[in-house]
Amino acid sequence: MKVEFAPLSIPLERRLQTASVVHWVFSFLGLGKIYFNVSLEKSLHSALFLVLYATWWLLDWDTPSKGGRRIHCIRNSVIWRHMRNYFPVTLVKTAELDPSKNYVVGFHPHGVLVAGAFLHFCTEATGFSQLFPGLTPHMMMLTLWFRVPFFRDYLLSGGLVPSDKDSASYVLRRWGGGNVLAIAVGGAQEALDARPGAFTLLLKNRKGFIRLAMEHGAPLVPVFSFGENELFDQVNNPEGSWLRRTQHRLQQIMGISLPLFHARGMFQYSFGLLPYRRPIFTVVGKPIKVEKKHNPSQEEVDRLHQTYIEELCKLFEEHKTKYNVPEDRHLEFI
């Protein structure tokens, strides 16, 4: 395989963009493990450190499930603006969202590393607060990551909360509104189908977020991120293959999927774990009115779920040609 190296005369701005993405990918793939190992080593060599952090963790135990603890200087860091410009990533508003209400936002597709959702809801790089004033975004993430020492604090600083019902309900029942609960509905399993040209969404039987919205009377907002699946190639893993079976098995054991993705490197463009420089346009649809029902029936959930799918398809069809999706391509649901 011929390796295409990056030229030496790259402007500083592009180097900073690449460095910011290296940091982001590293935080997803290795930071949690490093934090865990560092805390373990410190604990073995310093009883005082162990006692202090254990005390802090116990006192702070409920914070993730009670809206988190965002740190605005981290959300507004210049690192995220460089990362935004790397692709680049754009947030597209199509309707107003009333800041007196709480919302459930369905983000599609998950992609490999949910790059668009991270920048929109966990940072201010794409101007979420300017486009939707009065709204505070909370992005849901697998609960297990909030059990890793120090890494949990890093996640909380961006506004991330655990992906469990108690954490979601806390955000949605806050009096006065103004909260957005963002959910990558397809989850880790959908990441196994994330590759360029793919428009298959794991949504047909994903109805928990619909029931959640009904129980709190929170309007549903469909969001489609054009370009999210274009960032990485992935080793072929069709249903029924040994690789796919292994990935499903590991997901059942660990709670996370392990897509074998690849794209480019830091100093060359032929292979590596950095995403391609391809644009992402995340389109926020209009809110779907949801009637509050404490214990909705399955029929009511199914009906609203179908409405949500129809609105998501409509959003996709209305905008796809603007973002280089062929006219004959449509969403598929599994």
Side-chain angles (χ1 to χ4, degrees), residues 60-132:
D60 198 53
W61 183 263
D62 291 334
T63 297
S65 60
K66 291 187 176 180
R69 181 181 53 249
R70 65 191 57 235
I71 300 176
H72 292 288
C73 65
I74 293 181
R75 286 178 55 88
N76 286 281
S77 172
V78 67
I79 293 174
W80 311 129
R81 293 196 291 276
H82 287 309
M83 180 178 166
R84 172 200 64 198
N85 294 335
Y86 174 92
F87 297 99
V89 181
T90 305
L91 185 61
V92 181
K93 176 180 178 179
T94 65
E96 296 292 337
L97 298 183
D98 184 352
S100 68
K101 299 179 180 179
N102 294 323
Y103 295 89
V104 174
V105 167
F107 182 89
H108 312 271
H110 182 283
V112 172
L113 295 179
V114 259
F118 174 81
L119 282 171
H120 300 316
F121 304 119
C122 303
T123 81
E124 289 297 333
T126 59
F128 181 91
S129 295
Q130 285 70 46
L131 284 174
F132 301 103

Side-chain angles (χ1 to χ4, degrees), residues 155-171:
L155 298 176
L156 290 171
S157 69
L160 287 150
V161 295
S163 56
D164 58 62
K165 189 173 183 179
D166 288 342
S167 301
S169 295
Y170 185 89
V171 171

